């Protein structure tokens, strides 16, 4: 560990920055564009980070490798300046050079390395592992293109390529010397000598996995870890010269482009699985390359002491995407290191742990056995053998005559119905299986993984998610953070539980006024961004009511827009109706192939178009859809929010993390008892959150009864709810791009699968009460401050400490 200073002082920083401009561009600082100034500064900070990284850990420290197909990092410059404790020094230095740090930071492009909650959680965990000082490393994929950039045209989501690497990624270092080879396809050959037999793999396609390392700076700057991202390249230069000479350039390059395709694009996580070969290749590539590297390092440090691998190394698998870690680790130990089958299995189980992130059955990954076996023949042999032993073992515990036996097997076997089931593979190879909120873990135990839970209850545990408050409060909300630090000092950056010290300030009128001033400034900042990106002009005297997250039916953005339409209809029909003036802000992407979610986006934009252009209601309500939700603009939105919409149908959202980010930023939650909302509610108490709707057990019971009828909901309230359903198809909302027949049918033909209509009245009522409460500014601010004061628990530092204690044993 080192505590050396990054820069001696402001003058030292300026000199180094100037020199770096000259070295990279041959230009003076003043002659560089803001974009060039950004690249130089980022590379300068990255080089400082790398220098610390090399001496951050000793070999005796246990290493954690966090395997994830996604790390939604967000811009890093501002974050690293904060974590190094040099943000003020650099800001002053830049200012004295005649430039502006914020303007320079704004040049940074969001790395396209994740979808949503799962990927952002992985990024928060990297920050917290470095903060806790452990040797915690990320292992993932370096996608050439991110998900997609979202534009709104005619109200519709339009997807364009996210070429986030176009100008280079200044934080990464390519490590050619650490490349490894990964084999796909080919045959398994059996050898025998003196009664001993072993297997080798031959033929197939060999791909070179090239790592790119990104430094991860821990707060305080003492520990710098790294994130290793893999890129696929051809092993041999199989350029087809004959084809080239014949003028067939596509064929000449085919081999190269087939291989590079593996790391070309990030898959959407919520579009369902359709046997996507490339995805399977991605999963194996980063698993195999990561494990080969881990074992290479281990062997260098500890020799062939494989029995102790699990004591010195933890491999954490983020959802089922890295599920091949188990069999691949076995393959290497058995085939390449000479470890026996049983011992290798014990080592794997001791080393590997697994987090599940959703209860949606469609999300559980499965691969056709034939596809799998052809692509990974040797790996499949290990899976087949482990599955066989698992079944034998089960048979000794449950009699095959026992009616349970087949049903347990049907739920828990790895191989079933011609498919490899990745969740079961993950569970069978892990010593720990965790959910991401108390309710979610309970649902895993009770339903999704119930049979496993009965057999191995000790493996199951909960780890309620958290978010890094250094990014989502300190960096996202400088004005509020300043106020907090003036009140309680800056210890909260290191220890988020110190935010509790804000509780006495709930009685401090001048603090609460200061809070309101800060929030107003943040609303202005967001309003300017909204105007620039969507053209909608928001009045910052209105309540900012925010729902920002991926679009999915279960998250019920539809319920939110129904509420907006209800307010609109009442404003038009009832002159005595006087709701609190509100700006409804939405943001989020829908998977490209997820038609329903895209229709909800079009509906929101159509409703926005109608309402924002109706002078009768304009001083009361506005609707804005912020395009291309990403970590960077999320930070602007969270800080300006006053109401946090967390309205998923109970039992569906594993945890949610925007609920935590918004709570920190003093937004009050309007939500169902779902995911981590329940824990937020327990922490802040009933006066500081607004809960509505059916509970998870009521949702289950209603669905099981088979007695829910959307038409009953419609008929029992023709004037309000019924009217809104009619508006979907009667042309009222069609001005921009047509009616919404499919949403109508989802409700009225498919019988409202997410109980939007069932929770509608309870939701509308809760919203009116909450916005009524907003009128008492002092009481609201007190309650909002209480949300921040209690948010310490939702720092990912706490979550990581729990992983360390209970799962990784550090
Ligand atoms: C995938 C799929 C695929 C098929 C259709 C249904 C569906 C629904 C969701 C997903 C996403 C799965 C992984 C994921 O992003 N989960 C999120 O993880 C967050 C971090 O733990 C958590 O806060 C969110 O509640 C959870 O949705």
């Amino acid at each position: 560990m080192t505590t050396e200073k990054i820069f001696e002082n402001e003058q030292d920083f300026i000199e180094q920055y100037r020199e770096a401009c000259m070295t990279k561009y041959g230009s003076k600082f003043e002659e560089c564009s803001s974009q060039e100034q950004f690249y130089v500064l980022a590379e300068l900070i990255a080089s400082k980070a790398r220098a610390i990284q090399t001496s951050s850990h000793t070999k005796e420290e246990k290493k954690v490798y966090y395997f994830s197909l996604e790390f939604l990092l967000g811009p890093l410059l501002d974050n690293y300046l904060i974590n190094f404790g040099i943000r003020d020094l650099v800001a002053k230095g830049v200012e004295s050079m005649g430039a502006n740090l914020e303007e320079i930071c704004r040049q940074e492009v969001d790395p396209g390395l994740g979808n949503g909650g799962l990927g952002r959680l992985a990024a928060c965990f990297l920050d917290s592992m470095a903060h806790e000082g452990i040797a915690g490393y990320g292992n993932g994929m370096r996608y050439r293109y991110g998900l997609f950039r979202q534009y709104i045209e005619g109200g519709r989501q339009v997807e364009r390529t996210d070429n986030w690497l176009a100008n280079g990624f200044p934080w990464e270092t390519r490590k050619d010397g650490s490349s490894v080879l990964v084999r796909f396809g080919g045959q398994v050959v059996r050898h025998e000598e003196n009664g001993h037999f072993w297997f080798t793999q031959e033929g197939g396609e060999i791909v070179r996995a090239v790592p790119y390392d990104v430094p991860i700076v821990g707060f305080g700057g003492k520990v710098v870890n790294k994130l290793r991202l893999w890129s696929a390249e051809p092993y041999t230069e199989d350029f087809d010269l004959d084809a080239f000479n014949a003028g067939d350039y596509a064929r000449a390059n085919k081999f190269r482009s087939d291989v590079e395709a593996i790391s070309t694009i990030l898959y959407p996580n919520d579009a369902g699985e359709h046997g996507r070969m490339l995805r399977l290749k991605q999963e194996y590539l980063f698993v195999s390359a990561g494990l080969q590297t881990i074992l290479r390092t281990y062997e260098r440090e500890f020799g062939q002491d494989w029995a102790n691998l699990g004591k010195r190394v933890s491999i954490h698998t983020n959802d089922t995407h890295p599920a091949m870690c188990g069999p691949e680790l076995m393959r290497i130990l058995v085939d390449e290191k000479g470890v026996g089958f049983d011992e290798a299995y014990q080592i794997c189980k001791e080393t590997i742990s697994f987090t599940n992130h959703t209860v949606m059955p469609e999300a559980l990954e499965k691969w056709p056995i034939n596809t799998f076996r052809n692509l990974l023949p040797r790996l499949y042999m290990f899976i087949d053998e482990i599955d066989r032993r698992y079944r034998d073992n089960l048979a000794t515990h449950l009699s095959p005559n026992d009616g349970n036996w087949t049903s347990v097997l049907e739920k828990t076997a790895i191989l079933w119905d011609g498919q490899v089931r990745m969740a079961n593979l993950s569970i069978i190879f892990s010593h720990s299986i965790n959910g991401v909120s108390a309710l979610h873990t309970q649902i895993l135990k009770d339903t999704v993984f119930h049979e496993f839970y009965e057999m191995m209850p000790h493996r199951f545990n909960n780890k309620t998610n958290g978010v890094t408050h250094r990014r989502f409060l300190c960096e996202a909300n400088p004005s509020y953070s300043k106020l907090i630090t003036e009140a309680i000092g800056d210890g909260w950056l290191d220890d988020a539980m110190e935010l509790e010290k804000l509780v006495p300030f709930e009685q401090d009128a001048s603090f609460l006024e200061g809070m309101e001033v800060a929030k107003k400034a943040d609303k202005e900042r967001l309003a300017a961004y909204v105007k620039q990106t969507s053209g909608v002009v928001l009045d910052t005297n209105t309540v900012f009511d925010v729902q920002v997250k991926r679009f999915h039916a279960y998250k019920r953005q539809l319920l939110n827009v129904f509420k907006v339409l209800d307010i609109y209809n009442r404003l038009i029909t009832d002159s005595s109706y006087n709701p609190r003036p509100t700006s409804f802000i939405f943001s989020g992407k829908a998977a490209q192939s997820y038609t329903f979610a895209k229709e909800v986006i079009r509906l929101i934009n159509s409703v926005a178009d109608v309402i924002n252009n109706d002078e009768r209601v304009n001083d009361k309500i506005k609707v804005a859809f912020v395009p291309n939700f990403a970590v960077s603009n999320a930070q602007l939105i969270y800080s300006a929010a006053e109401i946090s919409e967390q309205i998923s149908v109970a039992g569906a959202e594993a945890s949610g993390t925007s609920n935590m980010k918004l709570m920190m930023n003093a937004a009050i939650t309007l939500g169902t008892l779902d995911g981590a909302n329940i824990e937020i509610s327990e922490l802040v108490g009933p006066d500081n959150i607004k809960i509505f709707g059916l509970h998870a057990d009521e949702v289950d019971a209603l669905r099981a009864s088979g007695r829910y009828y959307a038409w009953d909901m419609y008929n029992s309230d023709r004037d309000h709810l019924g009217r809104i359903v009619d508006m979907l198809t009667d042309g009222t909302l069609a001005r921009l791009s047509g009616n919404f027949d499919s949403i109508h049918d989802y409700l009225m033909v498919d019988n409202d699968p997410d109980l939007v209509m069932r929770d509608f009245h309870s939701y509308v009522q809760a919203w009116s009460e909450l916005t009524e409460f907003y009128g008492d500014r002092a009481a609201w601010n007190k309650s909002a401050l209480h949300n921040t004061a209690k948010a310490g628990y939702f720092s990912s530092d706490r979550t990581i400490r729990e992983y360390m204690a209970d799962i990784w044993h550090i």
Side-chain angles (χ1 to χ4, degrees):
M1 279 200 200
T2 166
T3 50
E4 72 196 75
K5 278 188 180 163
I6 303 297
F7 300 111
E8 286 306 319
N9 50 41
E10 194 182 314
Q11 201 45 45
D12 176 41
F13 160 70
I14 293 173
E15 278 165 24
Q16 293 195 39
Y17 194 7
R18 285 191 182 286
E19 193 182 317
C21 288
M22 204 37 99
T23 310
K24 184 168 170 74
Y25 292 112
S27 310
K28 289 188 180 155
F29 174 81
E30 289 76 9
E31 293 160 3
C32 289
S33 66
S34 299
Q35 199 189 47
E36 289 170 334
Q37 290 169 350
F38 162 74
Y39 280 98
V40 175
L41 184 53
E43 283 174 17
L44 180 61
I45 300 300
S47 71
K48 304 284 177 189
R50 282 194 295 272
I52 296 172
Q53 182 196 297
T54 47
S55 57
S56 278
H57 301 289
T58 66
K59 77 168 198 179
E60 302 312 326
E61 290 174 60
K62 186 166 187 180
K63 296 178 178 64
V64 176
Y65 296 94
Y66 197 84
F67 277 57
S68 177
L69 267 187
E70 303 183 22
F71 290 92
L72 197 51
L73 295 173
L76 294 174
L77 179 56
D78 205 18
N79 194 248
Y80 285 178
L81 296 179
I82 291 171
N83 284 359
F84 272 137
I86 57 172
R87 193 169 183 266
D88 290 345
L89 180 149
V90 167
K92 285 202 197 99
V94 166
E95 200 178 309
S96 78
M97 295 161 86
N100 174 269
L101 180 60
E102 276 177 38
E103 176 63 18
I104 293 174
C105 287
R106 257 200 298 277
Q107 306 304 314
E108 186 164 4
V109 178
D110 277 87
L113 298 175
N115 269 282
L118 171 148
R120 182 55 233 178
L121 187 78
C124 284
F125 282 3
L126 294 179
D127 180 80
S128 287
M129 288 193 290
H131 170 259
E132 294 305 314
I134 65 170
Y137 305 106
N139 187 68
M141 279 294 275
R142 179 182 183 272
Y143 304 106
R144 178 74 185 75
Y145 302 104
L147 191 62
F148 60 80
R149 276 186 306 150
Q150 180 198 53
Y151 293 80
I152 303 298
E153 289 172 14
R156 288 190 169 84
Q157 167 175 298
V158 173
E159 302 93 9
R160 303 229 166 84
T161 311
D162 175 26
N163 190 5
W164 69 280
L165 274 169
N167 296 312
F169 184 41
W171 304 103
E172 70 182 8
T173 317
R174 182 183 163 100
K175 293 283 187 62
D176 277 290
S178 304
S179 299
V180 298
L181 304 182
V182 176
R183 185 193 303 263
F184 295 99
Q187 301 84 42
V188 178
V189 181
R190 187 173 190 271
H191 308 265
E192 197 170 350
E193 206 175 87
N194 307 328
H196 284 283
F197 59 91
W198 71 96
F199 296 87
T200 56
Q201 301 184 79
E202 281 158 32
E205 171 191 39
I206 295 181
V207 173
R208 188 160 84 108
V210 182
Y212 288 73
D213 289 349
V214 180
I216 303 295
V217 177
F219 180 71
K222 292 194 189 70
V223 167
V224 175
N225 286 331
K226 77 184 174 200
L227 164 61
R228 177 156 276 194
L229 300 171
W230 297 97
S231 182
E233 294 188 11
Y235 170 46
T236 48
E237 205 47 69
D238 264 4
F239 184 74
D240 188 337
L241 203 60
D242 292 339
F244 181 80
N245 289 332
D248 189 347
Y249 308 119
R251 193 157 64 86
N253 268 309
K254 189 170 181 327
F255 181 74
R256 170 170 283 274
S257 53
D258 283 355
V259 170
E260 287 175 350
I262 298 173
S263 50
T264 296
I265 187 124
L266 163 70
Y267 277 99
N269 66 7
D270 48 7
E273 294 291 329
H274 0 254
R276 302 167 298 187
M277 187 72 145
L278 211 54
R279 170 77 169 193
L280 187 58
K281 284 187 169 182
Q282 289 183 342
E283 292 183 352
Y284 184 64
L285 185 101
F286 98 115
V287 160
S288 180
L291 289 177
Q292 290 184 53
T293 307
I294 291 170
L295 293 188
R296 189 193 276 176
T297 306
Y298 185 87
E299 205 163 355
R300 197 178 60 226
E301 292 180 340
F302 303 107
Q304 305 260 331
D305 184 18
W306 304 116
N308 284 310
L309 184 72
K311 297 192 178 61
R312 298 195 161 112
V313 170
S314 282
I315 292 171
H316 199 85
T317 54
N318 197 24
D319 217 285
T320 57
H321 318 148
M324 281 177 269
C325 271
E328 175 67 1
L329 183 53
M330 273 202 86
R331 185 192 67 77
I332 302 175
L333 289 174
V334 172
D335 284 0
E336 295 175 18
K337 309 296 178 191
V339 180
F341 191 95
D342 293 305
E343 195 192 353
Y345 176 63
Q346 290 308 323
I347 294 170
C348 290
K349 211 171 55 171
E350 222 178 282
T351 310
I352 299 171
S353 45
F354 163 56
T355 300
N356 167 279
H357 292 269
T358 181
V359 300
M360 300 283 133
E362 322 88 278
L364 297 179
E365 286 187 297
K366 297 179 184 79
W367 297 103
I369 286 179
N370 285 334
T371 309
F372 197 102
R373 198 201 285 124
N374 287 336
L375 190 69
L376 303 163
R378 182 60 182 144
L379 206 69
Y380 181 76
M381 288 173 71
F382 281 93
I383 293 176
D384 189 48
E385 179 60 15
I386 288 290
D387 185 61
R388 193 186 63 75
R389 292 182 188 213
Y390 173 78
R391 287 163 186 257
D392 283 356
N393 190 40
L394 202 64
T396 62
H397 290 287
L398 296 169
S399 152
N401 301 324
D402 188 340
N404 269 333
W405 192 73
T406 32
S407 80
V408 172
L409 208 57
E410 181 176 348
K411 294 274 170 54
T412 60
I414 303 173
L415 303 176
W416 192 262
D417 206 12
Q419 301 195 296
V420 185
R421 300 191 293 191
M422 305 305 261
N424 294 355
L425 181 63
S426 294
I427 291 175
I428 288 171
F429 272 99
S430 299
H431 66 275
S432 167
I433 298 123
N434 75 282
V436 290
S437 74
L439 175 67
H440 173 228
T441 300
Q442 198 56 49
I443 294 173
L444 293 184
K445 292 177 182 177
D446 292 345
T447 61
V448 187
F449 298 141
H450 179 68
E451 290 73 14
F452 279 121
Y453 175 64
E454 295 253 280
M455 279 185 281
M456 33 180 112
H458 52 282
R459 289 199 201 177
F460 283 77
N461 62 95
N462 176 245
K463 293 289 166 279
T464 298
N465 282 167
V467 302
T468 168
H469 63 291
R470 286 171 291 274
R471 177 183 288 273
F472 289 107
L473 182 51
C474 176
E475 181 186 330
N477 201 335
S479 54
Y480 189 33
S481 298
K482 184 158 169 275
L483 210 63
I484 293 170
T485 297
E486 280 163 11
I488 63 169
D490 65 3
W492 61 277
L493 290 170
D494 190 50
D495 175 7
M497 290 310 283
E498 287 201 11
L499 289 169
E500 284 256 13
K501 290 184 181 167
L502 290 168
V503 170
F505 290 88
E506 290 169 27
Q507 317 304 330
D508 183 332
S510 83
F511 186 91
L512 297 179
E513 267 168 45
M515 236 183 117
E516 193 167 323
V517 172
K519 185 61 89 176
K520 184 79 197 279
D522 293 331
K523 287 163 75 177
E524 300 286 353
R525 187 170 72 148
L526 177 60
Y529 180 79
V530 168
K531 181 165 179 234
Q532 181 205 328
T533 53
S534 72
V536 179
V537 178
L538 299 179
D539 175 356
T540 55
N541 293 308
T542 62
V543 183
F544 275 23
D545 176 319
V546 164
Q547 187 175 18
V548 289
K549 49 183 82 246
R550 281 299 281 264
F551 273 76
H552 204 289
Y554 82 77
K555 295 178 190 280
R556 297 200 297 191
Q557 283 93 351
L558 182 61
L559 177 59
N560 192 346
V561 76
F562 265 38
K563 172 201 67 192
V564 175
L565 282 170
D566 189 56
I567 298 165
Y568 175 64
N569 290 340
R570 285 174 199 261
L571 278 169
I572 283 169
T573 54
D574 177 359
S575 60
S576 69
Y577 179 60
N578 189 25
R580 180 82 43 207
T582 301
S583 299
F584 299 97
I585 298 161
F586 293 86
S587 195
K589 295 177 184 178
Q592 207 160 355
S593 64
Y594 192 171
T595 315
F596 175 78
K598 289 169 82 169
E599 278 296 273
V600 175
I601 291 179
R602 189 171 69 85
L603 176 63
I604 292 169
N605 283 295
S606 298
V607 169
D609 175 66
V610 169
I611 289 179
N612 299 344
N613 291 303
D614 190 334
E615 281 171 6
R616 295 172 297 177
V617 302
N618 259 197
D619 56 336
K620 294 284 187 198
I621 53 173
K622 283 267 181 78
V623 181
F625 188 97
V626 179
N628 202 36
F629 189 54
V631 177
S632 53
N633 59 16
Q635 293 180 192
L636 293 175
I637 299 173
Y638 297 135
S639 56
E642 295 175 297
I643 293 180
S644 163
E645 299 267 2
Q646 306 298 339
I647 61 177
S648 50
V649 58
E653 188 71 90
S655 159
T657 44
S658 76
N659 45 4
M660 302 167 186
K661 294 159 191 163
L662 286 157
M663 170 197 192
M664 274 177 190
N665 283 279
I668 297 182
T669 304
L670 169 56
T672 48
L673 284 177
D674 198 16
N677 297 352
I678 297 173
E679 286 148 270
I680 293 178
S681 154
E682 283 163 1
L683 273 163
V684 300
D687 294 343
N688 301 301
I689 188 167
K690 194 77 191 173
I691 297 295
F692 72 93
L694 294 185
H695 299 186
D697 50 356
E698 295 168 335
V699 168
D700 287 347
L702 183 59
R703 285 180 174 151
S705 77
R707 290 177 188 282
Y708 175 67
Y709 301 108
W711 279 108
D712 285 352
M713 298 290 124
Y714 177 93
N715 286 319
S716 64
D717 182 19
R718 293 293 286 263
D719 292 344
H720 304 104
L721 181 55
R723 165 96 189 91
I724 295 166
V725 172
D726 291 345
M727 288 166 85
L728 295 170
T729 53
D730 71 4
T732 320
L733 305 171
R735 211 181 68 117
L736 212 52
S737 49
N739 274 321
F740 296 91
D741 298 347
S742 67
I743 297 181
H744 177 275
D745 290 357
Y746 156 86
L747 295 171
M748 307 315 299
V749 179
D750 303 342
N751 199 33
D752 184 15
D754 296 292
L755 305 177
V756 169
M757 297 173 76
R758 179 63 181 77
D759 277 345
F760 174 76
H761 291 103
S762 154
Y763 176 50
V764 166
Q765 177 69 23
W767 183 84
S768 343
E769 287 170 14
L770 186 58
T771 48
E772 174 72 32
F773 175 54
Y774 189 87
D776 185 345
R777 298 308 297 134
W780 178 279
N781 290 331
K782 174 174 178 293
S783 184
L785 178 58
H786 195 68
N787 271 270
T788 306
K790 290 290 173 177
Y793 179 77
F794 296 107
S795 166
S796 44
D797 296 347
R798 186 269 313 154
T799 313
I800 282 299
R801 284 193 295 268
E802 291 181 5
Y803 277 86
M804 287 161 57
D806 306 338
I807 301 179
W808 304 331
H809 306 300
I810 303 183

